[in-house]
Amino acid sequence: MADVSCNKFSPETFLSKTYLKDTSHTSARAVSMPGGIYLDLNFNIGHFSWKTFSAEKIIGSLTYKPRILNFKSIRLNSLDGTMSGSGFLVQNKDRSFISRGSFDLEKLNINKSFTAFQNFGQDFIKAENLAGSLSGTLSVLLPMDSLMHPVIKSITAEGSYLLTDGVLKDFEPIKELSSFIELAELENISFKQIENDFFIRNNFLFVPLMDVKSSAADLSINGKHSFDNT
């Protein structure tokens, strides 16, 4: 068992410039978690950065045994809020990966979240369309290939969220309601609070029935949206 602390940690400093410039990583080798290592570790990191994501005051504990990394607890400050939770990463015999985690989110800046995670790989709704503060819970099961690329169609997740002081700006799909509501009201919609559950499975995001009271209209909404933008 050991305690590790550092003021700053950036994994990019350990990667070659060629790897960082090659966004496709077609020449990258399969990631292999080491065997013969056993760890029980408490960590404290002042600042962490990876590409467009950064975090402060990261504390937690983890264990490692061959091909199984278990985060028993982790807490960090990021995106103007806090995140905490636990999870694990396992490498399968075919060198693919499976990860699972459960997290609590408190007052994250939703605009900065979409920016840091590059709109979560979709272009239906983007960071520039959103503002507000996001809190909630998230449980996610994430399969990955041997290069640790997420297998999007196999993601399973569920949780609940509370979005406060939200804004929806210049969102083209909502402007299609201009036959019923003045276009000027649809270009910048604000709302005090939206609260609901959500589910992701079989390549779809499912939204249960919820009421939305906004500056443009009061609506009841439910439905599903595929990761193929259907």
Side-chain angles (χ1 to χ4, degrees), residues 97-99 140-145 149-157 200-204 227:
F97 292 86
I98 188 76
S99 62
V140 59
L141 181 68
L142 176 62
M144 293 177 283
D145 64 18
H149 297 154
V151 183
I152 300 298
K153 292 185 177 182
S154 298
I155 294 175
T156 301
I200 297 174
R201 59 175 63 97
N202 300 325
N203 206 39
F204 275 92
F227 291 165

Side-chain angles (χ1 to χ4, degrees), residues 19 22 24-31 146-147 149:
Y19 180 90
D22 179 14
S24 65
H25 301 312
T26 54
S27 61
R29 295 181 178 179
V31 177
S146 62
L147 297 177
H149 297 154

Side-chain angles (χ1 to χ4, degrees), residues 169-228:
K169 299 177 289 185
D170 295 324
F171 185 48
E172 290 299 328
I174 206 72
K175 291 181 181 179
E176 295 178 8
L177 294 174
S178 60
S179 299
F180 311 98
I181 304 172
E182 290 290 336
L183 180 60
E185 294 185 29
L186 296 172
E187 290 178 337
N188 196 330
I189 300 173
S190 60
F191 46 87
K192 186 64 178 176
Q193 179 174 299
I194 292 179
E195 186 173 10
N196 202 4
D197 298 326
F198 71 91
F199 307 90
I200 297 174
R201 59 175 63 97
N202 300 325
N203 206 39
F204 275 92
L205 167 66
F206 295 87
V207 180
L209 183 66
M210 66 178 178
D211 294 325
V212 179
K213 297 182 178 181
S214 73
S215 58
D218 294 343
L219 305 170
S220 291
I221 300 171
N222 75 302
K224 64 180 182 178
H225 180 70
S226 84
F227 291 165
D228 297 322

Side-chain angles (χ1 to χ4, degrees), residues 160-172:
S160 61
Y161 63 89
L162 173 65
L163 181 60
T164 57
D165 299 324
V167 177
L168 186 63
K169 299 177 289 185
D170 295 324
F171 185 48
E172 290 299 328

Side-chain angles (χ1 to χ4, degrees), residues 17 84 120 149 186:
K17 293 182 179 179
S84 61
F120 299 95
H149 297 154
L186 296 172

Side-chain angles (χ1 to χ4, degrees), residues 24-213:
S24 65
H25 301 312
T26 54
S27 61
R29 295 181 178 179
V31 177
S32 182
M33 297 176 71
I37 295 177
Y38 295 83
L39 289 174
D40 191 346
L41 191 69
N42 298 317
F43 56 88
N44 188 329
I45 302 172
H47 176 85
F48 172 87
S49 63
W50 171 255
K51 296 184 178 179
T52 54
F53 176 78
S54 63
E56 310 282 341
K57 298 180 179 179
I58 306 166
I59 58 174
S61 61
L62 63 83
T63 60
Y64 180 84
K65 57 184 179 180
R67 290 172 290 283
I68 301 176
L69 177 62
N70 179 26
F71 283 91
K72 295 189 291 184
S73 67
I74 186 169
R75 181 177 177 86
L76 56 89
N77 296 345
S78 183
L79 307 170
D80 297 343
T82 61
M83 305 181 210
S84 61
S86 60
F88 64 79
L89 175 68
V90 176
Q91 186 164 33
N92 302 312
K93 290 183 179 180
D94 63 359
R95 305 184 79 176
S96 64
F97 292 86
I98 188 76
S99 62
R100 182 168 187 169
S102 297
F103 305 96
D104 293 317
L105 315 175
E106 185 175 354
K107 296 182 179 179
L108 303 186
N109 183 311
I110 192 169
N111 176 275
K112 291 184 179 180
S113 299
F114 270 68
T115 299
F117 293 101
Q118 300 176 31
N119 295 313
F120 299 95
Q122 53 82 47
D123 57 10
F124 179 70
I125 186 167
K126 299 181 179 180
E128 57 262 32
N129 302 128
L130 298 167
S133 177
L134 179 67
S135 299
T137 62
L138 169 65
S139 296
V140 59
L141 181 68
L142 176 62
M144 293 177 283
D145 64 18
S146 62
L147 297 177
M148 299 192 78
H149 297 154
V151 183
I152 300 298
K153 292 185 177 182
S154 298
I155 294 175
T156 301
E158 62 180 44
S160 61
Y161 63 89
L162 173 65
L163 181 60
T164 57
D165 299 324
V167 177
L168 186 63
K169 299 177 289 185
D170 295 324
F171 185 48
E172 290 299 328
I174 206 72
K175 291 181 181 179
E176 295 178 8
L177 294 174
S178 60
S179 299
F180 311 98
I181 304 172
E182 290 290 336
L183 180 60
E185 294 185 29
L186 296 172
E187 290 178 337
N188 196 330
I189 300 173
S190 60
F191 46 87
K192 186 64 178 176
Q193 179 174 299
I194 292 179
E195 186 173 10
N196 202 4
D197 298 326
F198 71 91
F199 307 90
I200 297 174
R201 59 175 63 97
N202 300 325
N203 206 39
F204 275 92
L205 167 66
F206 295 87
V207 180
L209 183 66
M210 66 178 178
D211 294 325
V212 179
K213 297 182 178 181

